Structures are given as structure tokens and as C-alpha cells.
């Protein structure tokens, strides 16, 4: 359907005057009442945002509903794949599987995929707006198919990365297991020597204390301690090798390139014949040190994409399991350098100065510093003997005590298994609860339960409530980053506010289910040994020594999808003399409840950020879902494209556009902010805009002729204007003037009627349009 002719509405205000003038001549004394009625009618027309749109309001409403449903379908597919990913991740770590193919993942997703297809068909057939929606069915069928393919490919990539890392970290795992199991065995040896003092608790404590201190010294001497890391130092060292000129002065003067207002200082024009042909224009650009709006948008898009991709790279390093290596920083820097060069070699008229690359690296490393440092802390606590062994002192002493008191090998082995299960159980409960919380918030939280436009509405409302200018600028210039921060805040608030009624019950439910599965696995393993040995009863299953390996293999295999726990975790613990498997099962059933209780006692609102990797946290799961969409911004005002698909084929479009001055745009050759709104401007017959890069002027209603990013946007002619951004301009006038060093004077004078809008009007208007 073609958009309407903009001339249709260019003289609408003149038309209104003509109607009233004509009526005044014809209706005499009724004129006052007529004016009131015609004004009311006119306001109603102007307030209908899509009155002159190529789509009518019913189409817009139906399409928004479709977007919301698509958001739910996509989350169902992602959620199902997250469950599969976690299950396969556990099996990879347990060495139960050795390869992952896309066909396997599609099989795992088949049931959910068919459910989604059915839901899609029912929606398009049975919805009240089915006759309107049908025009988009084919394109959305394709979108869902492409989304499913993308989810499968990404999951395969992540799991194959884990497969590669599994072999690399075998040495790390073996070293840790060796230290733990050696201590268990040494505790056992000491206990057997001190059996005669079993009733003298003080002597036992003293003897164990001397043994413990001696072995801690041995471990410390024989093991290279995991060193603390300094990301920024490593980054400066590598940058220094690339650019000898980098020094303390530059580091001190460097800027956060992610949030700078303009990139003009970072570029210089390419030398070409065009330089000489257009000498005057180039000189003017050099003196003004300004880039075109399109150039600025391209560079900001580059920066934002590099930030996003480096975040993914850091997560793929799996530092919490593999540890930190300076080569990771080298990989980040190499990637950033390659992207910068690729951009320069593209169809752009500028090249970057060295400062751009260095500041981009500095900004990304500063941003990643917390994430990498926290993941390294998790690795250190899990693998540095001086840290993780110290935490287990009481566990070792408990084993020592039981040996001293004559406990059987089966009883001791059962307790060791329970102690080894502690961390895998805790990790499994947190990861499962995190996925469930993400699903709950995706369903229940008003800000997170719809499409991306709904999320943006709540973000804008929050900005208005807080009235924080710096946050507004972060939203305008670092939109994706702001969205991610908002989601993190929402998740943190949800966990804090609903911990006792929503979060804690889930954790207790999940730990209880896991306890039940472990007990069942223990019983099934005892049965497995009995059947293989030909025993008739499980009342007191005592078989030949050596069958403990058979029992353990069965036990770990049954749990391989639920926990990262395998035979290798007990590879150094001798169990040849374990022969009473009913007793072993009973010990596990007896000890598990206290272990589960101990884990549960540590559940609180602060544990998710500490116990989980970034990629497994509920906020990151929601960011991965809600932020996998289009982030292109209107070349005029910076409004975000609301399409829920990355790299979509359709034109970019936004629910509503803003005031151009908010992103710093000024009228040509002035310091006066532009206070025009795109949708109104494209309705005008005479408004025009200037492209500095081409030194050309275009009519707004013919904006597509400007080419480039302008040709990829659909900006519908519309005379209704959202009060929200008018209120923002009035509320932060002085802040905007100071930030951009422009003024709301002359051509950019703020209309008096804008100042009538209250914050309440601004936030309520969002509900009307979204």
C-alpha cells in the first residue's frame, strides 16, 4: 500500500480557518458554539497519530498485537533451547557426549517448535483482527523459521566452544581433584593410626590441626597460586607494543567513546580526487570539525556493535571455568582493530585517527573489567588450592572423625560423595531458578512481558520519573546499553521485592526435586549392581569388592543431565573395599537432607550475582531475548526502529519520533537547536534539511532522495506530536544547551504551547501511542 501524498495535509491549518470563516458568514449567532465544536473535532483529528498514515489505526493496532505475540513465541523457543543447552552442557562437562550437531538440537526443539507453529496458526485464524493480520502471516512464518535456525546455530556454537574448552581444562580439573582426594586419603591414613584415641576429641582436633597445617604448606609449595589480574595493565602493555606513542597523558585524557556526543575529533577526510574537486566544502568541514548526521550514525553503530560483540567474546572465554589469560585481551584488541580497518575500507569518506582505536579499546576494557575480574574471582575460588581447600576443612575433619570411630568404607564413601555433590547441586539449583525467574518476569513484569516498544515505553516513563539528564543522554546516545541497564535494574528489583514469595520457594522446590532425583539415582544404582551380580534381595546388598565402580558409573550417568558430576570427580578416592551398597545408598539418603538444608540457608537476594556466570543470570537471559532486535536509529531524531528482527528486510520505522534538538541537531550555519519533529516535517511542503557530507539540501517530504540511511526509513507524515519529548525539551532546556553548546533561540525557539505540558501529560501520552 502506497503512502499518501504529503500535499494532502500541507495546508490543513489554512483549511481549518477557511471552514470557520465560511461558517461565520453563514451561521451568525451560532458561531460561538460552532467554533467550539469544530475545534473539538479538529483536536480529535490531530490527536489521532496515524490519521494521515498509509496504514489506518486498526492496522497499527493489529500489527502491535502481532509483534507482542511474536515476542512471546520467540521467548518460548529460546526458553526451550536454554533447557536443552543446560542439559547438554552438563553432559559435555561429564564427558557423556562428545559432539553436538544442529540436527540433534532441532530434534530437542521439535516439540516446542510444533507448539509455536500451532499457536501461530490459531492466532492468524482466530484472532478478532484475522482479516487484517493475514497480510503479514507469510513474513512472520519466515521470521519464526529464521529465528529458530538462528537459536540453533548459536546454541551449537556455544556448546562446541564448551567441548573445546573441556579438553583444555582437564589439567585444571585433574589438579583440583588430586588435591581434594589426596587430602581425603591422608585423613583416612591418619585416622587409622589414631583409632585408639577416638574418644579423646581434644586430642583428635589437635592431631588433625597439625596434619592440616602441614598439608596446606605442602600444597602451597607445590602449587602455583592463581595470581590476581590487572586487565587495564595488560591492555596498556599490548597497546604500547602497537603504538609506542601511547603514554600516561593520553590515558589521562582519553574519553569514554561509547558516550561521546560527536566523533568529529576522531576522524580525518580521506585524500582523494574528490578532496580537490570539492576543496571549499572540505575546508569548511575541516574548520568546523563536523561529521554529517549519517557519518555520526554509522560510527556510533560501529561502536555499539563492537561493544556488543566483544561482550559475547568475553562470555565465550568462559573465564570462570578456564581462568584468565592475557591472550584474551590480545584477542579483543585484534578484533577491535580488524573492525576499525574494515569500516575505514568501506564506502566512507574519512579514516580514523589512532586516538579512536585506542579510546575504543580503553572504553571496552574499562567496561569489561568488572565482568572479567568477577569471573576470574570465581575461577580462583574454585581452583586455587589455598582458597578452595581451606573452605573444606570441616568436611575433611568430619571424614577423619568417622574413620577414627570405625565407620565402614561404604559409609565413608557415601559421605565423600555427598560432600562432592555440594557445589554441583548449588550450581544446578541457581541455574534452574534463574531460568524460571526469567520466564516469570517475561510473563508477569509489565515492562518485560510485551514487545520491545512496550519495554521502551516503561524506560521512558522511568526516565521521566527520575528526571536525570545524564540518564536521558545515555538513552539517546547509547540506547542498547541503556536498555540492558534497565533490564538489569528491573530483574534486581524483582528478586529483591519478591524474594520470599517468588524466588525462595522456587529454590526450595528445585533443591527438593534434585534431592529426590539423587536418592532415586542411588537406589537405581544399587538395583543395577544387584541385577548384574544376580542378587535376589536389596535388603543388604553386599557383593564382591570392585563393584563400587559399577555402582558409581550408574549413579553418575543417571545424574549427568542434571549436574556437572562424574566419575572423574572421585577418581582419586579409593573405593575398592566398598562392598555394602545398601549401606552406601542409606548414607546418601541420610546425609543429603542436611547438605540441602545447608545450601538453602545461604539463599538470599545477593547470591545470584555471586553464584552464577553472567551468561546464566536471569537479567542476561532476558537481555539476550529482548535485545536481539533492530537498533537502527532515525537519521533525524534518533528514534529507535521497533522491528523485533535483526537485519530485517522491511524499512525501519518507529512508534513515534522525537524533537531533533534532543540529539544535538542544529539549524544550518547556526547554533540554534532544531525543534522540528520528523513526522510533522515530512508533512510539510517547504521544510528541508541539509546534508553536510554532500553539501546538498533535500525536502523533508522527499527525504528518501538523500539516499543512504534515509532511504531505509519509513517516516509517516503525521501532524500529531507526542507531548513527551516536548516536555523533555522544556524540562532540560538548560542542560541540553550546556551539553551540546547550542541554544533554543532564533529558529530554534521553543514554542510557548510546549511549556503547557506537565510531566503527567508526557507519561500518559506514552500509554496512548504504545
Amino acid at each position: 500500500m502506497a503512502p499518501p501524498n504529503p500535499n494532502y495535509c500541507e495546508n490543513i491549518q489554512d483549511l481549518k480557518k477557511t471552514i470557520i470563516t465560511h461558517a461565520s458568514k453563514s451561521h451568525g449567532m451560532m458561531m460561538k458554539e460552532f467554533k467550539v465544536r469544530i475545534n473539538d473535532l479538529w483536536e480529535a483529528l490531530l490527536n489521532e497519530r496515524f490519521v494521515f498514515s498509509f496504514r489506518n489505526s486498526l492496522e497499527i493496532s493489529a500489527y502491535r498485537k502481532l509483534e507482542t505475540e511474536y515476542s512471546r513465541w520467540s521467548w518460548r523457543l529460546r526458553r526451550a533451547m536454554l533447557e536443552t543447552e543446560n542439559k547438554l552442557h552438563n553432559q559435555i562437562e561429564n564427558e557423556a557426549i562428545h559432539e553436538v550437531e544442529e540436527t540433534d538440537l532441532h530434534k530437542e526443539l521439535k516439540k516446542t517448535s510444533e507448539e509455536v507453529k500451532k499457536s501461530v496458526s490459531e492466532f492468524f485464524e482466530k484472532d478478532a483482527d484475522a482479516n487484517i493480520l493475514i497480510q503479514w502471516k507469510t513474513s512472520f512464518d519466515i521470521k519464526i523459521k529464521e529465528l529458530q535456525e538462528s537459536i540453533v546455530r548459536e546454541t551449537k556454537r556455544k556448546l562446541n566452544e564448551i567441548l573445546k574448552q573441556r579438553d583444555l581444562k582437564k589439567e585444571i580439573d585433574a589438579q583440583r581433584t588430586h588435591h581434594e582426594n589426596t587430602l581425603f586419603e591422608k585423613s583416612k591414613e591418619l585416622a587409622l593410626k589414631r583409632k585408639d584415641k577416638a574418644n579423646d576429641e581434644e586430642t583428635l582436633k589437635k592431631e588433625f590441626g597439625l596434619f592440616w597445617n602441614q598439608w596446606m604448606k605442602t600444597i602451597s609449595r607445590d602449587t602455583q597460586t592463581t595470581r590476581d589480574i590487572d586487565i587495564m595493565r595488560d591492555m596498556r602493555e599490548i597497546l604500547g607494543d602497537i603504538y609506542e606513542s601511547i603514554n600516561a597523558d593520553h590515558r589521562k585524557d582519553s574519553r569514554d567513546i561509547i558516550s561521546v556526543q560527536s566523533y568529529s575529533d576522531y576522524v580525518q577526510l580521506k585524500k582523494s580526487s574528490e578532496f580537490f574537486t570539492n576543496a571549499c566544502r572540505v575546508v569548511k568541514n575541516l574548520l568546523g570539525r563536523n561529521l554529517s548526521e549519517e557519518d555520526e550514525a554509522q560510527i556510533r553503530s560501529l561502536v555499539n556493535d563492537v561493544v556488543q560483540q566483544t561482550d559475547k567474546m568475553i562470555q565465550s572465554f568462559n573465564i570462570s571455568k578456564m581462568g584468565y589469560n592475557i591472550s584474551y585481551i590480545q584477542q579483543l584488541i585484534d578484533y577491535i582493530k580488524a573492525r576499525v580497518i574494515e569500516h575505514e575500507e568501506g564506502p566512507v569518506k574519512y579514516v580514523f585517527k589512532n586516538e579512536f582505536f585506542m579510546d575504543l579499546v580503553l572504553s571496552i576494557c574499562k567496561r569489561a573489567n568488572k565482568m572479567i575480574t568477577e569471573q576470574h574471582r570465581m575461577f580462583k575460588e574454585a581452583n586455587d588450592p589455598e582458597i578452595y581447600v581451606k573452605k573444606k576443612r570441616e568436611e575433611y575433619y568430619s571424614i577423619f572423625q568417622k574413620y577414627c570411630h570405625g565407620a565402614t568404607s561404604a559409609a565413608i564413601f557415601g559421605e565423600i560423595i555427598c560432600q562432592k555433590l555440594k557445589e554441583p547441586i548449588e550450581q544446578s539449583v541457581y541455574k534452574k531458578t534463574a531460568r524460571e525467574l526469567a520466564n516469570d518476569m517475561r510473563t508477569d513484569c509489565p515492562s518485560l512481558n510485551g514487545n520491545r516498544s512496550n519495554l521502551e515505553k516503561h524506560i521512558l516513563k522511568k526516565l521521566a520519573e527520575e528526571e536525570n539528564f545524564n540518564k536521558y543522554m545515555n538513552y539517546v546516545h547509547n540506547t542498547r546499553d541503556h536498555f540492558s541497564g534497565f533490564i538489569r535494574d528491573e530483574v534486581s528489583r524483582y528478586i529483591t521485592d519478591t524474594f520470599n514469595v517468588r524466588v525462595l520457594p522456587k529454590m526450595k522446590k528445585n533443591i527438593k526435586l534434585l534431592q529426590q532425583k539423587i536418592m532415586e539415582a542411588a537406589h537405581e544404582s544399587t538395583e543395577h549392581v544387584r541385577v548384574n551380580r544376580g542378587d535376589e534381595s536389596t535388603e543388604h546388598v553386599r557383593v564382591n569388592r570392585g563393584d563400587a565402580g559399577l555402582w558409581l558409573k550408574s549413579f553418575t550417568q543417571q545424574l549427568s543431565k542434571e549436574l556437572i558430576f562424574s566419575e572423574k570427580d572421585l577418581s582419586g578416592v579409593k573405593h575398592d573395599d566398598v562392598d555394602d551398597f545398601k549401606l552406601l545408598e542409606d548414607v546418601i539418603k541420610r546425609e543429603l537432607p542436611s547438605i540441602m538444608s545447608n545450601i538453602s540457608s545461604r539463599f538470599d537476594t545477593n547470591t545470584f550475582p555471586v553464584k552464577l556466570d553472567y551468561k546464566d543470570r536471569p537479567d542476561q537471559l532476558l537481555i539476550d531475548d529482548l535485545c536481539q532486535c533492530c537498533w537502527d536509529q532515525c537519521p533525524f531524531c534518533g528514534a529507535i526502529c521497533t522491528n523485533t528482527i535483526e537485519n530485517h528486510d522491511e524499512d525501519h520505522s518507529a512508534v513515534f519520533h522525537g524533537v531533533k534538538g534532543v540529539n544535538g541537531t542544529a539549524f544550518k550555519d547556526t547554533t540554534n537547536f532544531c525543534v522540528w519533529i520528523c513526522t510533522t516535517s515530512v508533512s510539510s511542503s517547504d521544510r528541508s534539511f541539509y546534508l553536510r557530507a554532500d553539501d546538498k539540501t533535500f525536502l523533508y517530504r522527499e527525504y528518501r532522495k538523500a539516499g543512504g540511511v534515509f532511504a531505509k526509513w519509513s517516516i509517516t507524515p503525521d501532524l500529531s506530536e507526542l507531548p513527551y519529548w516536548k516536555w523533555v525539551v522544556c524540562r532540560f532546556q538548560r542542560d541540553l544547551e550546556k551539553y551540546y553548546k547550542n541554544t533554543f533561540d532564533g529558529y530554534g525557539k521553543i514554542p510557548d504551547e510546549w511549556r503547557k505540558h506537565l510531566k503527567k501529560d508526557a507519561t500518559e501520552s506514552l500509554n496512548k501511542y504504545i
Side-chain angles (χ1 to χ4, degrees), residues 44 79 236 344 347 413 440 458 568 625 649 717:
R79 185 190 175 200
R236 290 191 294 268
E344 288 178 322
F413 190 55
D440 280 1
H458 283 84
K568 67 182 179 182
D625 178 48
D649 296 327

Side-chain angles (χ1 to χ4, degrees), residues 53 106 281 428 575 604 612 656 688 717 760:
S53 173
H106 278 296
R281 177 175 59 82
S428 175
H575 48 256
D604 60 47
L612 288 172
F656 55 82
S688 61
K760 181 182 178 183

Side-chain angles (χ1 to χ4, degrees), residues 195-216:
K195 271 192 174 183
D196 58 323
K197 299 177 182 178
N199 296 322
D200 187 348
E201 192 67 28
E202 288 301 317
T203 301
L204 287 182
K205 283 185 178 179
K206 184 177 179 181
E207 290 277 357
F208 183 82
L210 291 171
F211 153 78
W212 180 263
N213 292 335
Q214 177 186 347
W215 268 98
M216 286 304 296

Side-chain angles (χ1 to χ4, degrees), residues 338-389:
R339 287 296 304 274
V340 170
I341 292 173
E342 179 187 25
H343 186 87
E344 288 178 322
E345 291 176 348
V348 295
K349 301 170 184 177
Y350 52 83
V351 291
F352 293 113
K353 299 176 183 177
N354 289 340
E355 285 78 11
F356 177 83
F357 168 68
M358 290 190 287
D359 280 358
L360 183 54
V361 171
L362 282 162
S363 298
I364 286 174
C365 286
K366 284 179 182 176
R367 175 190 174 93
N369 193 13
K370 181 181 177 182
M371 185 193 302
I372 294 175
T373 302
E374 190 171 331
Q375 289 196 356
H376 183 71
R377 173 195 59 75
M378 294 173 72
F379 172 81
K380 188 172 181 178
E381 288 184 0
N383 295 282
D384 189 319
E386 290 192 53
I387 296 176
Y388 75 75
V389 173

